[in-house]
């Protein structure tokens, strides 16, 4: 494999001109951009489409662990004063900040080890998302110049996410806060800065004070599954009318709120009603699995119990198999859009309609009975 792409030198020269136009000093340009290295591994990781979509059980059980719950509770005691100060100022309760921290970097134990500048320059010189990563690279250079970060300290993920909370440079520039008052917002080395910045970021993403993320719920045996996902959110009073209860059998509390129903493992797994703060978590990371894991880990850190219905063990879904399922649905008149092997909302809706027509449980989840009915191996 080539260690450098053919137009690397030209691209780096262009990036230096961009940096100059962005107002970066010649010294910064000479000591950073002039020295950046092409990293083939970064392009490999960026282009790597997963062959399988992880099952919810596989994802969830690896992230919401007893160790993380215990560590979150321990760190709550350690940082209690700061966490309550942040809750008062930004409206984000301690357990959520701890849950984000736990999921992003295992509470700071793994922040990534790749050079942020090398990774971003490599991605900026790749045509796939050049504009985006060029902007992120410029922000990273401005942060280095502003705070005089050593390049050896600027390490992170292959995509350039940094520090305890894995902020991209643009988020770092906009939302990082100097929480400890040392004149520098340092998300690598200051836990106070990192937690303060996470609270500030979540507040700006729209976090609603005094509201939870959502909850696990119990569905009645004859539930129709007619309203799934964010697009089908219903008032809590309506969910109560449909027979949904708390997991202990008690009625739902029904303040004037809307909630969306999620079944990440289909009808045999846990069911969740998610509120507005769930959507805020999704603005941090666009994964439903991630948002449920953050919410539930936060609940556990705060003294909550494990899920009432454990996620069932299911095989990871191959993208090829899901693509074939989408092709079959389209062929039978259920428009799910261009087959891409990803179960988006349109695929779920089409799948539900097909399942209903076949007398299957219409939960929009491709279980073995659905694959068999569609003659997908």
């Amino acid at each position: 494999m080539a260690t450098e792409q053919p137009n690397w030198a030209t691209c780096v020269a262009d990036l230096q001109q961009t940096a100059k136009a962005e107002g970066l000093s010649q010294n910064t340009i000479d000591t950073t951009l002039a020295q950046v290295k092409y990293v083939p591994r970064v392009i490999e990781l960026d282009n790597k489409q997963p062959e399988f979509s992880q099952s919810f059980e596989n994802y969830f059980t690896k992230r919401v662990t007893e160790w993380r719950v215990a560590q979150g509770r321990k760190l709550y005691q350690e940082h209690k004063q700061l966490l309550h100060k942040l809750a008062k100022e930004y409206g984000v309760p301690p357990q959520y900040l701890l849950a984000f921290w736990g999921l992003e970097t295992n509470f700071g134990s793994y922040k990534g080890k790749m050079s942020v500048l090398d990774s971003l320059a490599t991605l900026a010189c790749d045509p796939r998302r050049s504009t985006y990563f060029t902007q992120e690279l410029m922000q990273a250079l401005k942060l280095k110049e502003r705070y005089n970060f050593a390049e050896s300290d600027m390490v992170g993920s292959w995509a350039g996410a940094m520090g305890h909370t894995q902020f991209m440079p643009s988020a770092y520039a906009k939302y990082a806060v100097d929480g400890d008052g040392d004149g520098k917002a340092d998300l690598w080395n200051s836990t106070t800065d990192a937690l303060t910045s996470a609270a500030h970021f979540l507040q700006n993403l729209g976090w609603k004070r005094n509201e939870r993320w959502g909850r696990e719920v119990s569905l009645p045996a004859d539930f129709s599954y007619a309203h799934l996902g964010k697009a089908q959110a219903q008032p809590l009073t309506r969910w109560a009318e449909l027979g949904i209860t708390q997991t202990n059998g008690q009625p739902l509390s029904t303040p004037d709120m809307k909630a969306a129903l999620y079944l990440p493992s289909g009808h045999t797994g846990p069911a969740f009603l998610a509120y507005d703060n769930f959507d805020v978590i999704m603005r941090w990371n666009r994964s439903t699995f991630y948002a449920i894991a953050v919410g539930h880990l936060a609940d556990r850190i705060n003294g909550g119990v494990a899920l009432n219905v454990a996620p069932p063990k299911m095989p990871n879904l191959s993208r090829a198999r899901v693509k074939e399922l989408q092709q079959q649905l389209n062929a039978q008149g259920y428009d799910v859009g261009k087959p891409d092997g990803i179960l988006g909302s349109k695929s779920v809706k089409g799948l539900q309609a097909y399942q209903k027509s076949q007398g299957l449980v219409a939960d929009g989840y491709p279980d073995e009975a659905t694959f068999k009915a569609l003659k997908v191996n």
Side-chain angles (χ1 to χ4, degrees), residues 84-104:
H84 282 284
K85 178 185 164 214
L86 296 176
K88 189 175 179 182
E89 186 173 351
Y90 296 103
V92 185
Q95 64 268 27
Y96 292 100
L97 298 176
L98 291 163
F100 277 103
W101 190 18
L103 257 70
E104 289 297 335

Side-chain angles (χ1 to χ4, degrees), residues 175-353:
Y175 301 111
V177 177
D178 174 19
D180 58 19
D182 69 351
K184 180 186 287 191
D186 185 349
L187 302 189
W188 286 280
N189 303 301
S190 170
T191 302
T192 301
D193 289 1
L195 292 173
T196 306
S197 300
H200 184 229
F201 189 27
L202 288 165
Q203 181 193 55
N204 277 273
L205 290 176
W207 190 271
K208 292 198 169 178
R209 190 183 287 265
N210 300 323
E211 289 187 14
R212 58 188 296 160
W213 70 277
R215 63 166 73 241
E216 185 189 7
V217 291
S218 292
L219 309 181
D222 59 351
F223 193 71
S224 73
Y225 305 99
H227 308 292
L228 293 179
K230 184 181 176 182
Q232 295 283 328
Q234 304 291 316
L236 281 170
T237 48
R238 179 62 182 144
W239 290 124
E241 287 167 6
L242 291 169
I244 294 182
T245 64
Q246 296 184 50
T247 55
N248 61 8
Q250 293 296 308
L252 292 174
S253 59
T254 53
D256 185 21
M257 292 169 66
K258 275 193 167 185
L261 180 64
Y262 291 94
L263 303 172
S265 305
H267 71 282
T268 62
F272 302 92
L273 282 181
Y275 312 137
D276 287 342
N277 282 337
F278 183 85
D279 295 332
V280 174
I281 300 171
M282 291 272 287
R283 286 180 204 121
W284 180 303
N285 182 317
R286 298 302 310 174
S287 160
T288 303
F289 289 4
Y290 177 90
I292 292 170
V294 165
H296 184 65
L297 179 58
D299 288 348
R300 292 292 311 281
I301 289 169
N302 200 37
V305 296
L307 291 177
N308 186 56
V309 176
K313 283 191 180 295
M314 290 178 164
N316 292 334
L317 288 171
S318 79
R319 291 185 67 151
R321 200 176 188 208
V322 173
K323 194 172 180 179
E324 192 179 340
L325 175 138
Q326 291 168 323
Q327 287 166 342
Q328 289 289 354
L329 287 170
N330 279 335
Q332 295 195 34
Y334 300 93
D335 179 18
V336 298
K338 185 179 177 184
D340 58 3
I342 299 168
L343 272 174
S345 57
K346 199 169 184 181
S347 292
V348 169
K349 192 175 178 183
L351 187 54
Q352 275 187 284

Side-chain angles (χ1 to χ4, degrees), residues 11-22:
C11 178
V12 170
D14 290 344
L15 289 172
Q16 290 181 59
Q17 290 305 311
T18 302
K20 206 168 198 173
E22 289 277 332

Side-chain angles (χ1 to χ4, degrees), residues 1-6 8 36-41 43-44 122:
M1 182 180 286
T3 56
E4 223 172 78
Q5 68 172 39
W8 176 247
V36 287
K37 296 178 183 66
Y38 181 72
V39 187
R41 178 69 179 147
I43 300 300
E44 282 175 39
T122 299

